[in-house]
Amino acid sequence: MSLQGEEAVHFSVVDAKDCKQSAFEVGDKTYVICRSDDDLKTSAVKIHDKLTQTWLSPTILGEQPLLTKSQSVIPVSDEKILVIEKGVPLNESIWFLEIDTPFVKQQRKIKETEVVSWSKGVIGVGQKPVVISGPSGVGKGTLIAKLMKDYPSKFGFSVSHTTRSPREKEIDGVHYHFTERIKIEKDISEGKFLEFAHVHGNVYGTSIEAVESVTDEGKRCILDIDVQGARSVRASSLEAIFIFVCPPSFEELEKRLRARGTETEEQIQKRLRNAQAELDQSNEPGLFHHLLVNDDLETCYENLKKLLSLDDDQEDSDDFFNKEDKETASYSIVSKTDSEILLQSETNEGKNGAIHLLALDLSSLSGGAPGRTRGLKIGSVNSF
Ligand SMILES: Nc1nc2c(ncn2[C@@H]2O[C@H](COP(=O)(O)OP(=O)(O)O)[C@@H](O)[C@H]2O)c(=O)[nH]1
Ligand SMILES: Nc1ncnc2c1ncn2[C@@H]1O[C@H](COP(=O)(O)OP(=O)(O)O)[C@@H](O)[C@H]1O
């Protein structure tokens, strides 16, 4: 079989005194992933700039791979490097080290230092998350609760973090992760949040983990966030459906807020002031895909269900991992074309001693740090 396209980069796994490392070059820089022998789980990334002949220790963002004894590495573009960890199930083994993606560029600006970020590769695309916004008291929580009750295996709720105090019936970790301002601000600065906003005097935010843990379970993620949050998600790498829920009238909104009985008069006044600003933004071009009026609850719920099933998202049809065993595997990168990487199994067990080749199709990647890189397609090439 002939190998097409670029040659695979020859990286080396060097047994240095106290670390193993893989080195690879992109442009004028050499990136070195270094692991300590004492603590395999800890990775460090060092960057050597050939022009200035200096070594940099970048800030490493994102969930880090469970580093194993060795890995196979190849740059897939100027923006990211594919890392295949060996000795773990294949679906745990695919990672991207982002070195110059839009997220990394943005974080580099914010932090005024060199930044790289890990992003886990996920087979298939999953279904787009659903962002639901609307003024306080319009009925977002009521609609979402109905959806979750009727379709518990289809939808999962993104549990936000907030600095506001829990209401009487709210459970920590279920309705919100109730947290301290200092803690959430630290996590935000470490890049752990997809978005955050100051709403009604408190900080609210969606952690990357809140969304990804739902998607990893194979469920469609529902986010209940304010308009500022929706705007941030719109600008992020997360592709979602954006729905704004409107009240039939301002008077009815006020009535519902008061009838709920969870806020003081001062808090109600603040929420009503913010409601007007949120309603004003709901028609902004390019922000929300759908507006739903919540007049009669059942009618609104039926319309919401219609919207979600009318959405032309495809179910994740890639059932490769249902066919393949999920046992530990060690794959090496053997070649790369513009959109495809060939992987060769180093462990022949279970495959009748044959060399097993897999094609990893990178042509429709989506997302990426600070979440997961989705859209990987994988299939057997042949065994010989
Ligand atoms: N940006 C953002 N807004 C959130 C988040 N979680 C909740 N919110 C919004 O914060 C606002 C206040 O929520 P909450 O205190 O539960 O009050 P409620 O809307 O009156 O039930 C609502 O508009 C929510 O949509 C989040 O993670 N990010
Ligand atoms: N269509 C509706 N008609 C009348 N009351 C409603 C309707 N939808 C929700 N409510 C009530 O309005 C109040 C606010 O709803 P909630 O779901 O808490 O709003 P949000 O999450 O948008 O702040 C609740 O007491 C809820 O039972």
Side-chain angles (χ1 to χ4, degrees):
M1 201 184 100
S2 66
L3 300 181
Q4 298 173 337
E6 264 178 64
E7 281 287 302
V9 164
H10 293 289
F11 65 94
S12 51
V13 178
V14 183
D15 277 309
K17 234 184 189 169
D18 58 358
C19 74
K20 291 192 167 66
Q21 50 194 3
S22 302
F24 41 91
E25 291 180 11
V26 180
D28 292 323
K29 293 191 174 142
T30 305
Y31 293 81
V32 180
I33 303 174
C34 180
R35 293 157 292 174
S36 154
D37 264 347
D38 304 332
D39 179 7
L40 282 176
K41 288 178 190 163
T42 308
S43 73
V45 176
K46 303 270 179 213
I47 305 174
H48 184 251
D49 188 330
K50 278 187 251 173
L51 297 178
T52 57
Q53 287 292 318
T54 49
W55 282 96
L56 304 165
S57 295
T59 301
I60 307 173
L61 300 175
E63 185 196 339
Q64 304 212 6
L66 258 186
L67 291 173
T68 56
K69 282 212 173 81
S70 61
Q71 56 196 184
S72 198
V73 182
I74 195 168
V76 290
S77 67
D78 293 346
E79 295 190 346
K80 55 183 131 189
I81 289 150
L82 172 68
V83 177
I84 311 265
E85 286 296 325
K86 298 185 186 175
V88 290
L90 187 59
N91 60 343
E92 293 293 321
S93 71
I94 305 169
W95 293 82
F96 291 91
L97 182 67
E98 301 200 357
I99 55 175
D100 204 26
T101 56
F103 172 70
V104 166
K105 283 186 178 133
Q106 178 206 46
Q107 290 294 318
R108 201 182 283 144
K109 252 194 199 157
I110 295 170
K111 296 187 191 312
E112 297 181 340
T113 175
E114 194 55 54
V115 171
V116 294
S117 182
W118 287 106
S119 166
K120 189 177 177 189
V122 177
I123 310 294
V125 287
Q127 282 199 305
K128 285 182 192 167
V130 182
V131 170
I132 300 188
S133 294
S136 181
V138 76
K140 302 176 300 293
T142 309
L143 289 162
I144 293 169
K146 278 171 87 64
L147 205 60
M148 305 284 290
K149 183 166 168 278
D150 290 351
Y151 303 95
S153 62
K154 194 163 168 48
F155 294 100
F157 185 60
S158 159
V159 181
S160 293
H161 284 65
T162 182
T163 58
R164 88 148 158 74
S165 317
R167 291 176 189 148
E168 204 183 328
K169 288 189 180 148
E170 284 179 333
I171 302 164
D172 190 23
V174 175
H175 298 94
Y176 280 106
H177 297 289
F178 295 99
T179 186
E180 302 293 323
R181 189 173 280 254
I182 192 158
K183 172 88 175 67
I184 195 168
E185 282 174 351
K186 181 170 176 285
D187 287 346
I188 290 167
S189 74
E190 288 173 0
K192 293 183 181 165
F193 277 70
L194 179 66
E195 63 77 33
F196 69 95
H198 295 262
V199 192
H200 315 319
N202 282 297
V203 183
Y204 291 78
T206 310
S207 71
I208 291 154
E209 202 43 43
V211 176
E212 298 297 357
S213 60
V214 172
T215 317
D216 286 352
E217 280 178 16
K219 294 182 182 176
R220 192 164 189 188
C221 187
I222 308 275
L223 290 84
D224 173 347
I225 59 177
D226 85 318
V227 174
Q228 306 168 72
R231 204 183 286 282
S232 302
V233 176
R234 255 306 206 180
S236 81
S237 59
L238 186 81
E239 279 187 62
I241 304 292
F242 292 80
I243 299 173
F244 187 88
V245 185
C246 317
S249 66
F250 208 80
E251 292 68 38
E252 174 64 18
L253 182 70
E254 182 166 357
K255 210 169 104 194
R256 285 183 199 171
L257 252 185
R258 291 190 189 286
R260 189 170 70 184
T262 48
E263 272 75 31
T264 62
E265 180 57 29
E266 192 189 337
Q267 287 164 338
I268 289 173
Q269 289 306 329
K270 194 182 266 182
R271 277 158 195 266
L272 288 174
R273 276 197 303 276
N274 293 342
Q276 192 55 58
E278 297 214 282
L279 289 167
D280 290 346
Q281 295 173 74
S282 63
N283 279 312
E284 195 179 300
L287 189 49
F288 291 99
H289 295 113
H290 308 284
L291 300 187
L292 272 183
V293 179
N294 183 16
D295 190 348
D296 172 64
L297 182 62
E298 285 313 316
T299 311
C300 183
Y301 181 56
E302 285 309 312
N303 287 336
L304 174 65
K305 284 198 296 184
K306 266 188 217 148
L307 274 187
L308 296 179
S309 58
L310 279 176
D311 164 29
D312 59 5
D313 253 356
Q314 294 297 309
E315 284 281 350
D316 185 359
S317 59
D318 195 324
D319 59 352
F320 178 79
F321 286 114
N322 297 332
K323 289 184 257 153
E324 284 287 305
D325 60 40
K326 290 188 177 173
E327 283 171 19
T328 302
S330 284
Y331 283 92
S332 276
I333 297 162
V334 290
S335 81
K336 171 182 175 292
T337 65
D338 279 349
S339 62
E340 201 172 81
I341 304 266
L342 279 188
L343 305 176
Q344 176 181 314
S345 165
E346 291 179 356
T347 48
N348 297 332
E349 306 128 33
K351 304 280 180 251
N352 306 324
I355 296 170
H356 191 219
L357 281 181
L358 290 180
L360 192 58
D361 183 343
L362 308 176
S363 60
S364 23
L365 294 188
S366 62
R372 308 279 195 269
T373 298
R374 299 188 183 277
L376 287 168
K377 292 182 210 144
I378 198 160
S380 279
V381 176
N382 55 17
S383 299
F384 61 100

